[in-house]
Amino acid sequence: MLSLPRYSLIGLTVLLGACASSTAITEQPSNTTLPIPQKTHQQGSSAWQVENTALSANQNSFVKQVAQRYQIPENFIQQQLNQAQVNDRVITLVSPKRIASIKRHWQTYRNRFVEPIRIRKGTAFWDTHRQTLAAAEKQYGVPAAIITAIIGVETIYGQNTGSFKLLDALYTLGFYHPDKTRPERSQMFRNQLAALIALAYEGKLDIHTATGSFAGAYGLGQFMPISILHYGVDADKDGKVDLKNSPKDAIFSVANFLVQHGWQANMPVFPPVQLPPSPASLVSGGLEPTFTWQALQQKGASSQSKNASWQKGKQLGVIDLKDEVRGNHEYRVATQNFFTITKYNRSYFYAASVADLATALANQQIRNGYQVTRP
């Protein structure tokens, strides 16, 4: 869930991966769909709490803290660290100078993901996994188009899952992160490294062969280790969560992640709203909805919709998709579901690209004669 132009959570603020790269039995929205909560690893501790609990930069102290957190023998943890190596390429990719040099350009970013290859491969992925996507949508209320789009944006449906050894990447970023002015970044990666070691101890992942992104994200949906522990789903019931080789596990895990972060069934990502002529003052820049529909109407917004789900409660925000090169702005009204996608990757560009690719994929399915839920 992470690439350089969307350096986030999953900014690097906290890749929950899913968590900082996807048929029609029946694909109509269910009016009674309710998410089925998944049991989390470490009952009583949310993924957010785990990610934000300090682990020492001193490796000896780190070993003791991880042993206590996950009930793992200290010698096992030390063995994994002893086999980890610093990856200079990872350090180069996350260097502050490289990050700072990137200007945001919405259309260029969007065109990387909403493009013919992903639409073609996304359509093929949907056709191949139609029953699984329909089952995930029925269980969680997340449209098949959104699930498919996320997997497409993240890895082009498994084509680019990453070639960096996870253990080395997270060890490097946890203990040798090049940006010394942002210690919270290395802290986040130490927490992810701890979760990776827990996965290894539980026999859920061979961390000496597993590869992923330079930031340690893994599988079709690019889940970070903490997200694998907390949101991974063994949908094919083979006794393990395999997000790289089991499309069914990956599909259900993406849906579960979104639901656990606030996805609302039967709500569009971008509702049909006309903004007032100068909406810049309505943009908060945050990652949560800020307006009720009534408040947005008072600011001059209008819509032909009546009694829609997004018109009830504080479900809306106004986003600015900037072109910092030309100074252009594209403003959109977004619902709770848009902000839920930003929990996968804390970037407006990312979430809007997922939604736009999902729309393109859904439109292709409709042209092919299937009834699907529009995102």
Side-chain angles (χ1 to χ4, degrees):
M1 290 174 195
L2 186 73
S3 67
L4 278 171
R6 48 194 170 91
Y7 194 73
S8 77
L9 222 215
I10 288 180
L12 265 163
T13 76
V14 208
L15 247 169
L16 281 182
C19 317
S21 278
S22 291
T23 53
I25 289 196
T26 167
E27 294 174 327
Q28 300 174 345
S30 167
N31 292 327
T32 59
T33 296
L34 291 174
I36 298 177
Q38 300 292 317
K39 291 183 179 179
T40 62
H41 197 274
Q42 284 183 270
Q43 291 299 322
S45 295
S46 71
W48 186 91
Q49 289 171 322
V50 171
E51 284 176 341
N52 289 277
T53 301
L55 287 174
S56 178
N58 177 282
Q59 292 192 29
N60 291 331
S61 298
F62 174 85
V63 168
K64 295 182 182 299
Q65 291 169 337
V66 175
Q68 183 175 12
R69 176 183 292 182
Y70 289 113
Q71 300 301 300
I72 300 173
E74 291 183 16
N75 64 344
F76 179 87
I77 300 167
Q78 189 63 60
Q79 287 170 5
Q80 312 317 304
L81 296 182
N82 289 344
Q83 296 180 62
Q85 297 181 344
V86 175
N87 187 313
D88 292 334
R89 176 62 176 157
V90 169
I91 291 175
T92 299
L93 286 171
V94 300
S95 67
K97 288 183 179 179
R98 180 180 174 93
I99 301 297
S101 68
I102 299 171
K103 286 190 175 181
R104 291 180 295 174
H105 184 253
W106 162 234
Q107 282 301 326
T108 298
Y109 184 99
R110 182 186 187 277
N111 291 342
R112 290 172 52 203
F113 301 109
V114 188
E115 45 82 31
I117 292 175
R118 279 182 171 81
I119 294 172
R120 184 179 73 251
K121 292 192 173 186
T123 299
F125 184 90
W126 197 331
D127 290 344
T128 299
H129 303 290
R130 189 171 298 280
Q131 291 185 348
T132 297
L133 286 161
E137 178 171 340
K138 182 177 180 181
Q139 178 168 328
Y140 293 100
V142 180
I146 291 290
I147 301 170
T148 305
I150 284 178
I151 294 175
V153 167
E154 292 293 343
T155 63
I156 318 181
Y157 308 100
Q159 178 177 313
N160 297 327
T161 57
S163 59
F164 292 87
K165 189 174 173 182
L166 296 183
L167 177 61
D168 292 349
L170 291 174
Y171 176 78
T172 299
L173 293 172
F175 291 105
Y176 301 96
H177 198 290
D179 190 352
K180 303 305 180 184
T181 67
R182 300 291 300 276
E184 72 277 7
R185 291 180 174 175
S186 57
Q187 174 62 72
M188 185 273 283
F189 285 112
R190 286 196 295 276
N191 279 313
Q192 297 291 351
L193 175 61
L196 183 72
I197 292 171
L199 286 168
Y201 183 71
E202 295 173 7
K204 296 179 178 178
L205 193 65
D206 182 350
I207 65 173
H208 301 290
T209 60
T211 58
S213 76
F214 70 88
Y218 178 75
L220 296 177
Q222 293 290 274
F223 270 39
M224 294 296 282
I226 290 174
S227 288
I228 297 174
L229 286 174
H230 286 260
Y231 309 112
V233 178
D234 176 18
D236 60 15
K237 307 300 182 186
D238 68 349
K240 61 181 179 179
V241 176
D242 185 350
L243 302 184
K244 190 168 187 176
N245 302 302
S246 171
K248 189 169 187 177
D249 286 3
I251 287 167
F252 273 69
S253 296
V254 169
N256 184 47
F257 178 92
L258 293 174
V259 165
Q260 299 294 344
H261 287 83
W263 185 272
Q264 300 295 310
N266 305 315
M267 180 182 290
V269 175
F270 297 120
V273 173
Q274 180 69 42
L275 283 165
S278 300
S281 63
L282 303 178
V283 178
S284 73
L287 298 178
E288 299 292 341
T290 54
F291 289 104
T292 64
W293 171 236
Q294 292 71 27
L296 207 52
Q297 280 182 303
Q298 292 172 4
K299 300 291 186 179
S302 60
S303 176
Q304 298 298 314
S305 297
K306 304 293 183 185
N307 298 316
S309 58
W310 53 268
Q311 292 175 318
K312 302 169 185 176
K314 187 181 285 187
Q315 301 277 12
L316 303 173
V318 178
I319 64 168
D320 179 6
L321 302 171
K322 298 178 181 179
D323 175 353
E324 292 181 340
V325 177
R326 298 180 178 84
N328 297 329
H329 301 265
E330 180 182 329
Y331 298 99
R332 300 187 189 184
V333 174
T335 69
Q336 167 65 41
N337 287 345
F338 173 87
F339 295 100
T340 293
I341 298 171
T342 68
K343 304 306 187 295
Y344 207 101
N345 186 308
R346 292 182 179 178
S347 162
Y348 283 1
F349 282 12
Y350 175 87
S353 294
V354 165
D356 288 0
L357 177 58
T359 297
L361 291 169
N363 288 341
Q364 184 61 53
Q365 290 292 319
I366 291 168
R367 285 192 292 270
N368 291 346
Y370 295 103
Q371 288 185 306
V372 302
T373 305
R374 291 182 181 275

